Amino acid sequence: MSEQQTSRFDHQRLLEMVGEFELELQKLPAGSQEAAQLHEDIARLKQHLSAPQPQVGAVQDSWQSLRRAADSVENTVLKDSPYITEMGRIIGLL
């Protein structure tokens, strides 16, 4: 598999994981500040990933913000989300 194909696969998988994580966020109490922050961070990450040529630095920055927000609710609602772990692994490969 060429480097371009690997990047495309990881990019697609990352988009899938973000979508699945969004579904998991439905467990958060509606209207909470944490939920609002997570939704903003997800929207920003998706925007960067939707660019024709995603900028690795922008994706990584968006990921870090999302990860910090998820850490604040992980123990109370998300309980060690497998999506966070997998997204981090994929972004680490970019």
Side-chain angles (χ1 to χ4, degrees), residues 20-88:
E20 291 168 9
F21 183 63
E22 276 185 300
L23 293 175
E24 189 173 81
L25 291 182
Q26 293 176 0
K27 298 176 187 175
L28 291 173
S32 74
Q33 183 177 2
E34 293 87 358
Q37 182 63 51
L38 280 166
H39 287 290
E40 287 176 23
D41 291 335
I42 287 173
R44 190 175 310 111
L45 180 58
K46 286 172 73 173
Q47 179 182 13
H48 290 303
L49 290 172
S50 297
Q53 295 292 324
Q55 298 296 313
V56 173
V59 169
Q60 290 172 335
D61 289 346
S62 294
W63 162 249
Q64 290 300 324
S65 181
L66 174 65
R67 178 67 189 160
R68 282 190 298 274
D71 282 347
S72 71
V73 298
E74 190 168 40
N75 291 327
T76 58
V77 179
L78 300 177
K79 303 293 183 199
D80 300 322
S81 172
Y83 304 112
I84 290 290
T85 302
E86 182 67 8
M87 286 187 290

